[in-house]
Amino acid sequence: MPAFNTLDDLSADSRVLVRLDLNSPIEDGTPQDNRRFERHAETVRELAEAGHRVVLLAHQGRPGRDDFTSLGGHAEILADRVGRDVGFVADTYGDEALEAIDALDAGEILLLENTRMCDDELPEASPEEKAETEFVRTLAPLFDAYVNDAYSAAHRKHASLVGFPLVLPAYAGRVMETEYEANTAIATREFDGPVTMVVGGTKATDVIGVMDALDDRVDRFLLGGVAGELFLRAAGHPVGRDVGEMDLFDEQWERNRELIESVLDERGDAIRLASDLAYEGPDGERAEVPVDDIGEKETGYLDVGTTTVADYEPAIRESDAVFVKGALGVFEDERFADGTVGVLDAIAETDCFSVVGGGDTSRAIEMYGLSEADFSHVSIAGGAYIRALTGEPLPAVETLEAAAERRRD
Ligand SMILES: Nc1ncnc2c1ncn2[C@@H]1O[C@H](COP(=O)(O)OP(=O)(O)OP(=O)(O)O)[C@@H](O)[C@H]1O
Ligand SMILES: O=C(O)[C@H](O)COP(=O)(O)O
């Protein structure tokens, strides 16, 4: 059982500051609805219907990246999912935000601006240092309680995640509660047959470190996405580099090169790499090329190829457990969904224990008509899910547990 307090322990008629994770894919500056809104809406609705004053914190993207936007669009999607009005103020702890918070009545909901627009938010620091920031010291006195529902950001030591539990009574939201229970159970279970991990996505740094940590618990890794191309580069293929406007590879290569080479050297027998890749052909169609035929990377590769999927499917079918983190291709574009959907279909057809992790990746399930019921657990977490797999501590969970401990003393 988790050692933190939950909404069942929250006093009535509270002014509650709630941290969600609404980090979403952004297309043309607009957030795309996804499972995170649906899951967090349950916590927000429960708090509002109980008569609490509900103020929400969330982040979007990272400074300098295209997906670093205001949360105005997120408020609209969340309101639709909650079925109640969700106010929005483009401020986090300035006068405009403080006035909007003060004006809230019981049962009302207000979303504040992207926490990563605050200078105090991102620099990784101890919870004690984060509790002393102007951001936390300004907002905390306005509330009776803090609720952290952002399991999928729980691996970050950011002010909105680890600062408030030191200065307010702190509770887990319903998403935090269910994700924590599912993911820690996964980390402790033992399996009789082969354990397979499918690794892809754009956050190669997250997943490569975990491959190193999981090496005694996973029998084989099936690679795609950005991580897969970086491993192909380490294996001597002229791919895994940035071309044109792309900035997904070179910086992550420099940061992870040595670890990739050592993991490949030590566990090469357990690591399956794509044998072909897909890209946009001259007429905009999906084109494929064997990796052995690539002389130089001249275009972005956007999916693993058909032969690779055919190679990965038997490995999945004979597995006792399959964990997925990250898509094998840009599945949002139907032309490049074959890798991700092919692997998900293969998993859905087995009765193995399966977990699909990744806020963006889990969107592929509903986009391509698969059912969550086909998988043991569909996590909306990415990096946090991966760290739970390896038993690594999640700073935001630890601060909730410490807060509960202080209240018991
Ligand atoms: N070869 C590729 N080139 C560019 N993007 C890719 C490639 N393969 C997969 N992707 C992108 O990876 C994304 C999913 O992986 P990503 O690591 O970003 O998120 P996630 O695994 O769902 O977890 P998180 O919750 O951390 O976002 C998809 O949006 C997909 O478009
Ligand atoms: O989407 C996620 O993985 C979480 O929101 C964490 O986002 P980050 O990797 O930008 O901290």
Side-chain angles (χ1 to χ4, degrees):
M1 277 301 286
F4 44 62
N5 290 325
T6 71
L7 299 190
D8 301 328
D9 309 301
L10 184 62
S11 310
D13 306 327
S14 298
R15 298 167 301 167
V16 190
L17 182 62
V18 190
R19 180 49 156 106
L20 309 179
D21 183 359
L22 301 177
N23 195 29
S24 303
I26 299 289
E27 287 172 17
D28 300 327
T30 305
Q32 302 304 297
D33 192 3
N34 62 80
R35 191 172 272 102
R36 288 180 171 178
F37 287 97
E38 173 193 338
R39 293 275 182 84
H40 285 304
E42 293 166 29
T43 294
V44 174
R45 188 182 309 113
E46 180 179 344
L47 289 167
E49 288 179 351
H52 299 297
R53 290 171 175 77
V54 183
V55 176
L56 307 173
L57 290 172
H59 74 273
Q60 173 58 49
R62 300 180 187 181
R65 289 203 174 179
D66 293 344
D67 67 349
F68 184 59
T69 68
S70 171
L71 297 189
H74 298 66
E76 290 174 22
I77 299 172
L78 187 63
D80 183 53
R81 289 289 187 168
V82 172
R84 298 169 80 101
D85 289 343
V86 174
F88 171 70
V89 59
D91 184 20
T92 311
Y93 66 95
D95 292 345
E96 199 183 344
L98 302 185
E99 282 167 31
I101 292 168
D102 186 52
L104 266 189
D105 283 331
E108 292 187 334
I109 307 162
L110 172 71
L111 175 62
L112 301 180
E113 184 55 284
N114 187 344
T115 57
R116 293 185 175 178
M117 292 182 180
C118 293
D119 295 339
D120 290 337
E121 171 73 343
L122 278 174
E124 295 241 334
S126 69
E128 291 71 19
E129 290 167 310
K130 286 302 189 182
E132 286 305 309
T133 58
E134 186 184 9
F135 173 25
V136 173
R137 286 185 21 253
T138 304
L139 283 184
L142 307 180
F143 296 94
D144 305 304
Y146 167 81
V147 172
N148 193 336
D149 212 26
Y151 176 84
S152 43
H155 53 310
R156 302 300 187 206
K157 289 182 181 174
H158 299 157
S160 63
L161 291 158
V162 300
F164 290 100
L166 269 74
V167 293
L168 281 171
Y171 305 83
R174 295 305 182 195
V175 173
M176 175 66 78
E177 204 180 338
T178 53
E179 285 277 357
Y180 176 82
E181 283 167 5
N183 290 326
T184 46
I186 293 163
T188 54
R189 284 180 63 142
E190 291 306 322
F191 299 98
D192 301 329
V195 176
T196 296
M197 182 157 214
V198 178
V199 173
T202 57
K203 298 171 182 170
T205 301
D206 271 353
V207 296
I208 289 162
V210 170
M211 285 174 68
D212 184 37
L214 273 181
D215 68 356
D216 61 338
R217 304 218 15 249
V218 173
D219 298 297
R220 70 205 122 183
F221 294 96
L222 310 180
L223 269 58
V226 170
E229 263 203 64
L230 292 173
F231 271 81
L232 282 169
R233 179 171 177 176
H237 296 280
V239 293
R241 304 168 189 276
D242 287 322
V243 290
E245 298 300 308
M246 199 177 276
D247 68 347
L248 286 167
F249 295 93
D250 293 344
E251 186 267 331
Q252 295 197 89
W253 171 255
E254 289 315 314
R255 199 175 338 159
N256 299 290
R257 173 184 191 148
E258 286 180 18
L259 183 55
I260 292 173
E261 289 169 344
S262 71
V263 168
L264 203 51
D265 182 44
E266 289 159 24
R267 291 300 311 274
D269 61 313
I271 295 173
R272 297 273 186 87
L273 302 179
S275 55
D276 57 349
L277 297 172
Y279 61 97
E280 184 175 24
D283 302 325
E285 81 288 2
R286 175 188 171 101
E288 298 189 349
V289 58
V291 294
D292 291 337
D293 292 353
I294 299 172
E296 181 187 350
K297 180 173 181 178
E298 294 168 335
T299 182
Y301 293 110
L302 304 174
D303 194 10
V304 297
T306 313
T307 306
T308 300
V309 177
D311 172 39
Y312 286 179
E313 282 174 342
I316 288 168
R317 290 206 171 86
E318 66 189 32
S319 296
D320 195 19
V322 181
F323 302 111
V324 180
K325 168 60 174 81
L328 298 190
V330 184
F331 69 87
E332 295 89 345
D333 181 330
E334 197 172 357
R335 296 171 296 169
F336 304 109
D338 292 9
T340 304
V341 177
V343 159
L344 290 175
D345 272 336
I347 295 169
E349 287 164 10
T350 71
D351 57 3
C352 69
F353 181 86
S354 58
V355 181
V356 178
D360 299 336
T361 304
S362 54
R363 275 194 321 135
I365 292 173
E366 59 198 302
M367 276 183 78
Y368 292 94
L370 289 155
S371 162
E372 276 198 37
D374 290 330
F375 307 91
S376 309
H377 180 66
V378 178
S379 175
I380 58 171
Y385 148 65
I386 284 279
R387 282 163 178 75
L389 274 179
T390 59
E392 271 185 69
L394 297 172
V397 172
E398 290 186 316
T399 54
L400 285 181
E401 292 172 333
E405 186 68 30
R406 283 194 300 274
R407 285 175 67 79
R408 281 192 286 271
D409 292 346

